[in-house]
Amino acid sequence: MAAVADLSRPALEALQAPFHIGTVTLRVTDLPGLTAFYRDSIGLGVIAETADASDLGIDGEVLVRLERGATRPASAAGLFHLAILLPARADLADWLAHAAAIRLPLEGASDHLVSEALYLADPEGNGIEIYRDRPRADWPRRDGAIRMATERLDLQALLAEARGGRYAGMPAGTRMGHIHLRVGDTAAAEAFYAGALGFELMVRYPGASFLASGGYHHHIAGNVWSSRGAGPRQPGEAGLAAFEIVARDATDLAMMRRRMLEAGGRETTTGAAIDDPWGNRLALVPGQG
């Protein structure tokens, strides 16, 4: 399912920011089974594979890393979903047709006004969102702020836009769009991601906060819908192991590195790393541009 980059496609809104989300690493119990799922059901290509880990992605970019050796989760905190961003609505339609053809069960389908999204979970319960953004100029606003909602997505209308033929995997240009976390407290999440790291609070829902860089609708979200009061995750728990914060340029890298170190993080060969209040690890890395 290898893809060739298509430079004629519009740049993804999520990536037009000082910082965006890179590789999401999951700790799993069934590495071969999860590798096959993300390859055959989700449509990512296998970039590298060993006995202990698999890297899957598009255009040579690793979107999901799977690591063997998970223990049973002890905390309700962790991953709510990782969100894979497709370049266009027709790509979302093609993926929906593929999911229907292989009888892949969906858990939801929503129109968020700024985006259209399909929801499911992998065989180990890790949430996944497959989505496409509307153009930024079409995002509704109220008093200057982005307005989001959760409305019904018309799946039959979306399917009508599928291009037919054998599904060849996710298209070139597909990237990780955002990550949504289960946290113990949204105020604490805002204090960490906005107060310490400098992400901008974009939208509040009841029990959820959405934060972003560069005016995107959200790169990081946290909710307490099933995790209110949750404490830190323990090392080795199944599910989310880490996710990357990708810096657009050297200036942005230096800025976020300083913020992470001042918040108690540690230096790495790529920049810095820090754990949020629930033990979710963030790794700062430079962009490739």
Side-chain angles (χ1 to χ4, degrees):
M1 294 186 178
V4 177
D6 182 355
L7 299 180
S8 67
R9 286 180 175 254
L12 298 177
E13 292 286 354
L15 276 59
Q16 308 307 301
F19 306 101
H20 65 267
I21 305 302
T23 303
V24 175
T25 300
L26 303 177
R27 206 176 283 112
V28 304
T29 58
D30 179 8
L31 180 61
L34 268 287
T35 300
F37 176 83
Y38 281 93
R39 181 193 64 215
D40 301 333
S41 297
I42 300 302
L44 299 177
V46 177
I47 295 173
E49 192 172 10
T50 69
D52 296 315
S54 298
D55 289 344
L56 298 104
I58 297 291
D59 308 323
E61 296 264 355
V62 179
L63 275 62
V64 177
R65 175 172 292 128
L66 305 173
E67 294 182 347
R68 185 194 300 275
T71 61
R72 184 182 299 276
S75 172
L79 182 71
F80 187 64
H81 61 240
L82 58 87
I84 299 173
L85 176 57
L86 298 173
R89 190 171 201 262
D91 299 320
L92 187 65
D94 289 345
W95 189 87
L96 178 59
H98 159 69
I102 65 172
R103 299 180 183 275
L104 185 64
L106 297 183
E107 296 181 348
S110 297
D111 182 341
H112 293 301
L113 306 183
V114 297
S115 63
E116 294 177 310
L118 305 171
Y119 296 94
L120 69 157
D122 73 19
E124 295 193 5
N126 297 297
I128 302 168
E129 176 181 341
I130 311 293
Y131 78 112
R132 73 99 183 180
D133 275 331
R134 289 190 169 91
R136 186 180 292 231
D138 295 340
W139 295 353
R141 296 178 182 271
R142 179 184 294 125
D143 299 327
I146 292 172
R147 187 165 64 89
M148 295 171 60
T150 300
E151 299 182 350
R152 175 180 172 272
L153 179 61
D154 188 335
L155 293 180
Q156 291 305 313
L158 182 60
L159 271 174
E161 295 192 25
R163 289 167 287 204
R166 176 182 171 273
Y167 190 65
M170 289 191 160
T174 297
R175 293 292 184 269
M176 191 64 65
H178 64 266
I179 190 164
H180 194 148
L181 306 171
R182 298 193 311 266
V183 301
D185 180 77
T186 55
E190 290 178 17
F192 178 78
Y193 285 102
L197 300 190
F199 286 90
E200 181 183 359
L201 178 65
M202 304 302 293
V203 177
R204 283 193 181 109
Y205 275 11
S209 299
F210 297 79
L211 304 104
S213 173
Y216 189 56
H217 51 74
H218 68 295
H219 288 103
I220 299 169
N223 77 65
V224 296
W225 298 328
S226 61
S227 57
R228 188 180 300 274
R233 304 176 70 237
Q234 300 304 307
E237 284 192 29
L240 181 64
F243 64 94
E244 290 179 344
I245 302 293
V246 182
R248 177 174 54 189
D249 57 33
T251 300
D252 296 324
L253 183 75
M255 182 186 304
M256 184 60 77
R257 175 181 173 277
R258 176 179 56 79
R259 287 172 174 159
M260 285 186 170
L261 295 179
E262 289 177 350
R266 60 181 177 84
E267 293 190 65
T268 67
T269 56
T270 61
I274 191 170
D275 291 357
D276 77 4
W278 300 277
N280 300 303
R281 177 148 300 173
L282 289 67
L284 176 64
V285 300
Q288 296 184 357

